[in-house]
Amino acid sequence: MTQTIWIARHANRLDFVNPDWFLTAERRYDPPLSDDGLVQASQLAQRLKNENITAIFSSPFLRTVQTANQVAEVLDLQIKLESGLSEWLNPEWMSETPEKMSIEDLGALFPRIDTNYNSRIIAQYPEIGETAYLRAGETARKLAEEFSEDILLVGHGASVVGATIGLVGGVAKTEIKAALCCLIKVVRVDPHWVLQLKGDTSHLAQVEEVIRFN
C-alpha cells in the first residue's frame, strides 16, 4: 500500500507583522493571516494543485483555516476541522484557553468546511511541548489509517513537527524545518513511512529568515 501524507504549516500571521494587533484583538490568540500570508497560502495551493489529495484536515484556528481554504478552493475539496492539529496550547504563550471562532461561524465564512466532521483528538489547555507533539502524532496516525488515500494536514509549528514525528519517528524532530507555509511530504510504502520533503518552501516567493513558533 502506498499513501502520501502532506503536512503544511499555516502562512504568515497578522500578529507577526503587527504585534500591536494582540493588544486590542477580540480573540487575541487566534490571529488571521497577514496580507503576505494570504499570498503564501495561494502559492501553497498552486504547489499542490496537481497532487492527488482527496481530503484536507485543518486545525480550527483561523490562520490554519484560511491557509487550508486556499488549497481547498483550488482542489475543490472540503475542509475537516481537526482539533488534534491545533496550536501547542502553551501556558507560557497563552494565559487561558484560547478563544476561537465557533465551527458555525467558521462555516459561514468558509463554506468548504465540513460541519458534520468531528475531531478525532481534542487538544486540551494547558499542555507541555511533549504533550503537544504526542497529541499531533496520534492525530496524524489516526487520520492516515482512517483515510487511506492521499491527504493534507494543515497545522502549526509544533503540530506540524508532532504529526511528522508520529509517522516517521523522532528523527523528524531534528530533520524538518517548520517554517511558515512549509510543506512536508511523508510516503507510506508498507510497513514504513519515508520522509521525502522536510519543510520545503520552494513554492514561496518570500521565505521568513528566522523560524519561530510564537
Side-chain angles (χ1 to χ4, degrees):
M1 174 183 174
T2 300
Q3 179 187 19
T4 297
I5 309 296
W6 299 91
I7 307 171
R9 187 181 176 189
H10 63 78
N12 200 12
R13 45 193 274 186
L14 183 57
D15 59 334
F16 279 7
V17 175
N18 177 20
D20 288 342
W21 173 88
F22 177 86
L23 301 176
T24 57
E26 180 182 357
R27 291 177 292 274
R28 57 185 181 162
Y29 300 122
D30 191 23
L33 294 182
S34 58
D35 288 345
D36 64 316
L38 290 169
V39 173
Q40 288 180 325
S42 177
Q43 292 167 346
L44 173 67
Q46 290 303 308
R47 165 65 181 83
L48 293 172
K49 69 178 182 180
N50 294 320
E51 303 297 344
N52 296 318
I53 294 169
T54 61
I56 299 173
F57 301 84
S58 171
S59 154
F61 283 77
L62 180 56
R63 57 194 179 275
T64 42
V65 175
Q66 286 179 293
T67 303
N69 190 66
Q70 295 267 22
V71 182
E73 289 285 351
V74 170
L75 298 184
D76 192 21
L77 292 172
Q78 288 188 306
I79 303 167
K80 302 180 189 301
L81 299 184
E82 176 53 62
S83 176
L85 298 174
S86 290
E87 174 70 280
W88 171 10
L89 303 182
N90 185 345
E92 294 185 3
W93 298 347
M94 309 168 182
S95 59
E96 69 273 345
T97 301
E99 182 181 352
K100 303 184 297 297
M101 294 181 67
S102 68
I103 293 178
E104 292 74 22
D105 287 345
L106 284 170
L109 279 178
F110 305 99
R112 288 191 175 275
I113 289 176
D114 178 3
T115 56
N116 293 316
Y117 176 83
N118 295 312
S119 292
R120 291 354 188 208
I121 301 290
I122 302 297
Q124 297 187 8
Y125 176 92
E127 59 184 359
I128 61 173
E130 190 60 32
T131 302
Y133 285 152
L134 290 171
R135 176 254 296 167
E138 183 181 0
T139 301
R141 290 191 300 272
K142 280 183 176 291
L143 295 178
E145 289 302 317
E146 184 175 348
F147 299 86
S148 58
E149 297 181 300
D150 296 358
I151 62 175
L152 169 66
L153 314 181
V154 182
H156 308 258
S159 60
V160 162
V161 174
T164 310
I165 291 172
L167 296 173
V168 305
V171 64
K173 194 170 185 178
T174 57
E175 287 199 2
I176 69 171
K177 294 184 177 180
L180 291 169
C181 216
C182 71
L183 192 59
I184 292 163
K185 181 181 182 182
V186 184
V187 177
R188 172 159 59 183
V189 181
D190 277 344
H192 303 293
W193 288 99
V194 179
L195 184 60
Q196 292 193 353
L197 290 179
K198 303 177 181 181
D200 182 49
T201 53
S202 62
H203 51 283
L204 301 178
Q206 184 175 359
V207 181
E208 62 180 333
E209 295 181 2
V210 178
I211 297 174
R212 54 178 173 163
F213 282 8
N214 190 63

